[in-house]
């Protein structure tokens, strides 16, 4: 069977900074409480313009599941690895907590989870997408305005492929050469 | 986008002024808390079991979104949105997701409590249910004997679906003094729109091409499906015009934001009407056939020109003209969105009347993209015969306002009259989850009102401020632990919902129905008889004439009969107004001595050194009830006082500084947030902080309470509180 290339396409114009995605992720993935612990986040960008001509956008983000992941390259124990479907993840018992990967990640997508004593990060909610009912990732499913669309880029008929074919998009920090798989519609 | 790398920093920025609270935020995961509670003997340890998915409804706010509770080993792991739940377009917001923490909250009320110290001192002892209920019944009967049954007031929340049982107990006990939330929220909307259309309609946000929202902050004060549909423009045609003294997240999403001067919305609306009628942008035949009083509107609005309105609301006359023309052009797929909370000013009902009239004259009534009548799902009601008592006087707030709701009363009036024992004393208070100390304006006055009570009982799930000042506190089971009756959620596409317990009720908490039945038994046979049913019987009775409702609820968690509004169902039929038509001119108002057409009143001038206090909502908090939730708390650990940068510079105040905010009725201390997201003549603070109860351990001692500052003022037509009429000064703390 052909492998998948999982990706998320985001339409940030729809984001209202309601933080449903961050709470959903925390509960789904047992991310410990505390503002330094997160697998995803929503960045309110700085206010643009001067009163009363103001503007503001909100940018949700998470691990970019890079095709060329710097975190994997620096991991001394092979704890950070990539599945055949492109999910970058950490094998808990192999992680020694050196945090090299946290430094290497240009997106700041990783945190150290004191409870499991390992570095933790977004897994595209693999327990949900491979689960019995084939659920969507928690952040994707719960979003009121459906900012995120999740799917397989290897399937030209998937929603993500169709969206990217139809609309221009960009990735974050392309100069880093990480080849991210989170696409932001322009 | 370049800021993503600074995400940790920006997170610190938005929780901003309270970085010192960060260090304490790291507590155990839910499983850890559970284990800790289990070893302390508070609950039984999680037992091995299978995975379950249970359809139920969210109980975190008024929207009641469809939920699937994922349960493993007897523990709720996750709350997922119900994909069948059309009303909320299959989503759960941050609060909905944080609902897990409601159940496993160390701050939960676990047992009945009886006060041992002074009121507000927070000293309670654990009691048995029997002892606590005996004490409540004894006190209610004593007060009834001494002061008549009107001597006990009943304050209730809504949306637990079991609030009906609480109100039934109030009625059968025989007190006319029931108060609920509408006069702290939407009663002038209901009044103003009903006077015009015979109902408070729902804007068809999904299909409207042009939406004007004034003060309805839909990206933060979430109302489903509007908050979602607002963003779904059809082929880019949708235009959202947003009026608010604050640059909210809705302003960030709108096509145009006007920082309107607070309290002048009616000037903007009347000027829009002026443009539309003077430029003939309406359909004469339509108005002749469907409305009454259009001829009287013409001379009425003649002087309300855009140039006049410009000076009132500080929006350029040309902009008003442009919006009015675009609105009329987009009609009938254009709505002036009335919002929900209408507790802005004391002329609020007339302002809502102006909104309704503006909608009426562009012919958007009951058409696609316009203002739609609501429908409900028919359920068979539980009939009961309330006992009759002859010595009971009428409501304490009777005659206070032109149109008083018999069941809801007017909170500001009740507060004042109880305090003055005018015209009779009220000495007992039964509270069902309404956090009156956080929601009713002038907290000091509410405290005095409570002080003079002989007895106060509060039913809640956490130690709210209201519970903290009560004599007996009864723990209710949370919404995830209860079987709740079926509820029809009205709207253009009505749905029926219910709640099923995801897990058994923890600790000694009990559902409201059980508590009411136990109290009824103690209050007398006649009252007990009205409660002679089980929840199961009650639900089966509700669906007696349509068993499909229950089948669907069990199979997909929601019941509905159509997925699209039934457009035009009222066209050509009598509306529920006196004339049967849309009433631009209200004879009913004229007969009561009220302005039959809305007359503008300028808000009070703000003297130098003072600011108008405005209040509002966040997507993370529901009133005074969710700020203590651990997940939500870390999003916003405390509130701040927003002040415009120019105003701050003029007053010599700096960002992050602790300030005192003072009104004629109170003083609160909180940190200053200097921002350009607010008009220079206003200050704003989020609701739900500055609590009195030490039983809310995450937020006690954090931020300030808006209710402590807001003066008691209300609309003389609807009795709705006027929450934006308080002027404050801000000084360094
Ligand atoms: S849930 Fe959706 S709208 Fe809300 S903050 Fe996340 S991405 Fe934005
Ligand atoms: S995909 Fe799952 S793990 Fe990744 S950010 Fe979304 S909710 Fe979190
Ligand atoms: S909007 Fe949020 S809190 Fe309200 S019912 Fe829906 S999920 Fe629950």
């Amino acid at each position: 069977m052909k492998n998948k290339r999982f990706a998320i396409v985001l339409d940030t114009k729809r984001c209202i900074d309601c933080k449903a995605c961050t709470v959903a992720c925390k509960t789904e993935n047992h991310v410990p409480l505390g503002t330094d612990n997160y697998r995803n986040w929503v960045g309110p960008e700085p206010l643009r313009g001067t009163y009363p001509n103001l503007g503001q956008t909100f940018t949700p983000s998470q691990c970019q599941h890079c095709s060329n992941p710097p975190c994997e390259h620096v991991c001394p124990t092979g704890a950070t690895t990539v599945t055949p479907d492109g999910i970058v993840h950490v094998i808990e018992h192999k992680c020694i907590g050196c945090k090299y990967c946290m430094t290497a990640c240009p997106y700041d997508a990783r945190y150290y989870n004191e409870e499991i004593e390992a570095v933790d990060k977004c897994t595209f909610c693999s327990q949900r997408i491979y689960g019995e009912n084939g659920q969507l990732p928690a952040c994707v499913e719960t979003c009121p305005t459906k900012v995120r669309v999740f799917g397989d880029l290897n399937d030209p008929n998937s929603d993500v492929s169709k969206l990217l074919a139809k609309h221009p998009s960009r990735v974050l920090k392309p100069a880093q050469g990480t080849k991210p798989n989170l696409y932001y519609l322009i | 986008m370049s800021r993503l790398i600074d995400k940790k920093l920006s997170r610190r920025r938005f929780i901003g002024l309270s970085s010192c609270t960060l260090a304490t935020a790291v507590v155990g995961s839910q499983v850890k808390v559970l284990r800790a509670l289990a070893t302390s003997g508070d609950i039984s340890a999680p037992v091995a079991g299978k995975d379950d998915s249970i359809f139920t409804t969210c109980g975190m706010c008024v929207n009641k979104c469809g939920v699937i509770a994922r349960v493993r080993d007897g523990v709720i792991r996750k709350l997922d949105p119900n994909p069948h739940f059309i009303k909320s377009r299959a989503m759960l917001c941050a609060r909905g997701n944080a609902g897990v923490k409601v159940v496993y909250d160390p701050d939960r009320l676990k047992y009945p409590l009886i006060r041992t110290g002074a009121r507000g001192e927070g000293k309670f002892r654990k009691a048995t249910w029997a002892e606590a209920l005996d004490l409540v019944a004894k006190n209610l009967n004593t007060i009834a004997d001494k002061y008549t049954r009107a001597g006990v007031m009943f304050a209730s929340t809504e949306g637990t679906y079991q609030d009906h049982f609480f109100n039934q107990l109030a009625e059968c006990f025989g007190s006319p003094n029931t108060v609920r939330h509408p006069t702290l929220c939407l009663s002038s909307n209901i009044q103003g729109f009903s006077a015009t259309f015979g109902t408070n309609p729902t804007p068809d946000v999904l299909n409207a091409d042009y939406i004007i929202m004034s003060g309805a902050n839909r990206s933060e004060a979430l109302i489903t499906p509007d908050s979602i549909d607002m963003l779904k423009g059809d082929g880019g045609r949708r235009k959202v015009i947003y009026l608010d003294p604050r640059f909210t997240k809705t302003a960030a999403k709108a096509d145009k934001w006007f920082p309107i001067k607070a309290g002048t919305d009616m000037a903007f609306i009347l000027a829009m009407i002026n443009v539309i009628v003077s430029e003939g942008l309406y359909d004469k035949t339509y108005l002749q056939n469907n409305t009454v009083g259009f001829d009287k509107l013409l001379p009425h609005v003649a002087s309300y020109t855009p140039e006049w309105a410009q000076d009132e609301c500080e929006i350029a006359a040309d902009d008003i003209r442009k919006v009015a023309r675009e609105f009329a052009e987009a009609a009938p797929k254009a709505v002036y969105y009335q919002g929900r909370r209408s507790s802005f000013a004391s002329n609020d009902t007339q302002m809502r009347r102006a909104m309704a009239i503006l909608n009426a004259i562009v012919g958007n009534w009951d058409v696609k993209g316009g203002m739609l009548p609501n429908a409900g799902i028919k359920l068979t009601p539980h009939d009961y015969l309330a006992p009759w008592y002859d010595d009971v006087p009428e409501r304490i707030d009777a005659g206070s306002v032109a149109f008083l709701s018999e069941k809801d009363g007017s909170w500001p009036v009740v507060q004042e009259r109880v305090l003055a024992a005018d015209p009779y004393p009220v000495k007992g208070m039964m509270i069902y989850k309404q956090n009156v100390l956080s929601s009713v304006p002038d907290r000091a006055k509410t405290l005095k009102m409570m002080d003079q009570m002989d007895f106060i009982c509060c039913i809640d799930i956490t130690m709210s401020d209201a519970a903290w000042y009560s004599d007996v506190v009864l723990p209710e089971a949370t919404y995830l632990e209860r079987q709740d009756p079926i509820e029809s959620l009205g709207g253009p596409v009505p749905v029926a919902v219910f709640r099923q317990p995801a897990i058994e009720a923890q600790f000694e908490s009990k559902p409201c129905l059980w508590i009411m039945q136990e109290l009824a038994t103690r209050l007398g046979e006649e009252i007990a008889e009205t409660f002679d049913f089980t929840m199961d019987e009650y639900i089966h009775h509700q669906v007696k004439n349509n068993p499909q409702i229950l089948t669907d609820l069990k199979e997909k968690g929601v019941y509905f009969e159509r997925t699209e509004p039934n457009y035009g169902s009222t066209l050509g039929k009598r509306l529920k107004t006196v004339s049967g038509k849309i009433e631009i001119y209200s004879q009913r108002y004229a007969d009561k001595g009220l302005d039959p057409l809305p007359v503008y009143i300028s808000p009070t001038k703000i003297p130098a050194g003072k600011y108008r206090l405005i209040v509002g909502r966040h997507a993370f908090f529901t009133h005074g009830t969710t700020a203590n939730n651990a997940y939500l708390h870390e999003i916003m650990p405390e509130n701040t006082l927003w002040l415009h940068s120019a105003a701050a510079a003029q007053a010599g105040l700096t960002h992050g500084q602790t300030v005192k905010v003072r009104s004629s009725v109170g003083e609160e201390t909180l940190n200053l947030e200097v921002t350009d997201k607010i008009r220079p003549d206003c200050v704003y603070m989020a609701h739900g902080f500055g609590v009195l109860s030490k039983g809310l351990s995450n937020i006690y001692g954090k931020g300030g309470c808006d209710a402590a500052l807001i003066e008691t003022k209300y609309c003389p037509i609807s009795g709705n509180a006027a929450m934006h009429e308080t002027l404050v000064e801000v000084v360094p703390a």
Side-chain angles (χ1 to χ4, degrees), chain A residues 15-21 42 60 143-145 147-148:
Chain A
C15 179
I16 54 173
D17 192 27
C18 73
K19 316 272 193 222
C21 48
V42 190
C143 175
T145 55
V147 168
R148 288 172 172 85

Side-chain angles (χ1 to χ4, degrees), chain B residues 54-59 64-67 82 85 159-161 379 479 482-489 495-501 535-536 539-540 542-543 549-559:
Chain B
I54 290 134
F55 285 119
T56 188
T57 341
C58 184
K64 301 147 188 143
C65 296
V67 168
N82 177 353
F85 195 76
T160 70
Y161 310 168
L379 299 167
Y479 70 98
R482 296 192 310 252
Q483 175 70 60
D484 281 349
I486 303 173
E487 185 92 0
S488 158
L489 308 183
V495 298
V497 292
F498 76 157
R499 292 195 183 96
Q500 312 187 86
M535 182 63 81
D536 220 45
I539 290 175
H540 281 97
Q542 287 185 300
V543 299
I549 297 177
L550 193 54
T551 312
D552 281 14
L553 284 174
K554 285 187 173 155
E555 276 170 16
K556 48 180 188 163
V558 58
Y559 170 84

Side-chain angles (χ1 to χ4, degrees), chain B residues 157-212:
Chain B
T157 184
E158 75 86 50
T160 70
Y161 310 168
Q162 301 215 16
D163 36 321
H164 305 294
F165 304 132
F166 180 81
N167 292 320
Q168 180 181 334
L169 187 85
E171 186 184 352
C172 295
F173 174 76
S175 173
N177 290 319
T178 49
V179 262
R180 301 191 317 143
H181 81 289
T183 51
L184 303 172
C185 182
L186 76 171
S187 61
S188 18
N189 248 334
I190 297 176
Q191 178 51 233
F193 274 79
S194 299
T196 317
F197 293 110
T199 180
N200 184 20
T202 301
D204 188 7
V205 173
L206 184 63
N207 294 301
D209 287 340
Y210 203 91
I211 303 169
I212 305 175

Side-chain angles (χ1 to χ4, degrees), chain B residues 410-554:
Chain B
S410 167
W411 241 122
V413 181
V414 168
Q415 181 208 48
E416 290 195 320
R417 291 207 178 167
V418 170
L419 197 50
D422 170 22
Y424 55 77
V426 171
K427 292 290 183 182
M429 203 173 176
M430 289 291 293
I431 305 171
Y432 178 42
K433 287 185 80 172
Q434 195 183 28
N435 195 1
V436 298
L437 284 167
S438 151
S439 52
V440 180
D442 197 344
R443 182 168 74 181
K445 213 185 253 180
T446 313
L447 274 171
K448 264 197 210 151
M449 180 193 89
M450 290 173 82
D451 267 352
Q452 64 86 50
M453 295 283 171
D454 291 349
F455 180 74
I456 307 170
C457 166
C458 181
I459 303 163
D460 211 318
I461 55 172
T462 50
M463 192 58 93
S464 67
D465 284 356
W468 187 251
Y469 275 85
S470 296
D471 305 324
V472 172
V473 180
L474 304 175
E476 198 196 12
T478 67
Y479 70 98
L480 291 163
E481 303 161 315
R482 296 192 310 252
Q483 175 70 60
D484 281 349
I486 303 173
E487 185 92 0
S488 158
L489 308 183
V493 181
V495 298
V497 292
F498 76 157
R499 292 195 183 96
Q500 312 187 86
I503 55 165
E504 268 177 36
Q506 305 278 293
F507 314 108
E508 291 178 22
S509 64
K510 295 284 184 191
C512 181
L513 175 59
W514 183 89
I515 303 171
M516 293 305 111
Q517 287 175 322
E518 288 294 317
L519 274 178
T521 312
R522 286 166 169 81
L523 288 170
E525 213 169 293
E526 276 196 304
I527 303 177
E529 263 171 28
T530 71
F531 281 100
D532 187 18
F533 54 83
T534 63
M535 182 63 81
D536 220 45
E537 287 165 352
Y538 187 91
I539 290 175
H540 281 97
H541 180 78
Q542 287 185 300
V543 299
K544 198 173 75 175
N545 297 316
N546 185 358
Q548 189 63 35
I549 297 177
L550 193 54
T551 312
D552 281 14
L553 284 174
K554 285 187 173 155

